[in-house]
Amino acid sequence: MKVLNILSDALFKLEKLIAILLMSVILVSIVLGVVFRYFINSPLTWTDELAIYMLIWLTFVGGSMSVKNGKAASLDLVFEKVNVLWQRIFLIVGYTFVTVFSTIVTYMAVKWISNPAVLTQISPGLKISMFLPYLSIPFGLFCLTIHAVNHLVQSFKFEGTKVHVEGGE
């Protein structure tokens, strides 16, 4: 499915940009916090909270990116020792479980953040809606689902004597 591969690649490029932005905001936030606390003696109350929320976003976006690149935690020791048929079976079963799990959790996360009680929560330091930090969960898992489905489809393709699931760039 060429469309799925194009969608997965486009999402990966978006995730890379988001990850760069998130890491930059974390760096600036922490540096500002340190400078204001220790050099100006007037601590900023929101810098730590901002860095934490950006780290949460980075966790979900980075987790999705690791699935796209094939760098997520796996049992390579076992995988490399079995024949091609078993490698294919492991990939299909693994990506099926990842797809089902991430789809269910994405659905539950969207349902959860759509709750009026969540929508009205305000963060203590930044005074922003908690919807924004919580949005990282369905966004990251939606991207992960797209990447996992793409890999699942690719694992049915036969490429010579070796099983290979194409990663990101």
Side-chain angles (χ1 to χ4, degrees):
M1 288 179 71
K2 200 77 165 156
V3 173
L4 188 59
N5 202 31
I6 291 169
L7 177 61
S8 179
D9 289 344
L11 270 176
F12 183 72
K13 288 178 183 176
L14 175 65
E15 289 170 322
K16 280 191 344 186
L17 291 173
I18 290 171
I20 291 167
L21 177 68
L22 292 170
M23 287 187 283
S24 301
V25 171
I26 289 172
L27 176 68
V28 169
S29 174
I30 290 173
V31 167
L32 277 175
V34 169
V35 167
F36 273 81
R37 180 177 306 264
Y38 294 108
F39 296 107
I40 301 177
N41 274 343
S42 179
L44 300 172
T45 58
W46 53 268
T47 56
D48 294 339
E49 187 175 303
L50 179 62
I52 289 169
Y53 293 154
M54 296 301 108
L55 185 59
I56 291 167
W57 265 91
L58 190 59
T59 300
F60 285 98
V61 170
S64 172
M65 291 173 71
S66 71
V67 169
K68 170 67 176 171
N69 281 333
K71 305 273 190 224
S74 63
L75 294 173
D76 285 344
L77 182 67
V78 174
F79 186 78
E80 297 297 326
K81 301 284 186 215
V82 298
N83 65 29
V84 177
L85 175 65
W86 280 104
Q87 286 180 355
R88 184 173 307 279
I89 290 169
F90 285 157
L91 284 174
I92 291 169
V93 169
Y95 283 122
T96 299
F97 278 122
V98 169
T99 301
V100 169
F101 174 79
S102 60
T103 302
I104 291 169
V105 177
T106 301
Y107 170 76
M108 292 171 63
V110 167
K111 197 172 169 185
W112 172 61
I113 66 169
S114 300
N115 185 331
V118 172
L119 292 172
T120 59
Q121 285 182 350
I122 302 296
S123 71
L126 291 170
K127 307 293 186 222
I128 61 169
S129 171
M130 287 302 292
F131 174 81
L132 296 173
Y134 292 157
L135 187 60
S136 64
I137 301 167
F139 177 79
L141 289 172
F142 171 77
C143 294
L144 189 144
T145 302
I146 298 298
H147 298 319
V149 169
N150 186 38
H151 283 315
L152 180 61
V153 169
Q154 286 180 13
S155 30
F156 285 102
K157 295 179 183 174
F158 184 74
E159 296 177 6
T161 59
K162 201 128 171 94
V163 172
H164 173 71
V165 175
E166 185 181 305
E169 297 177 23

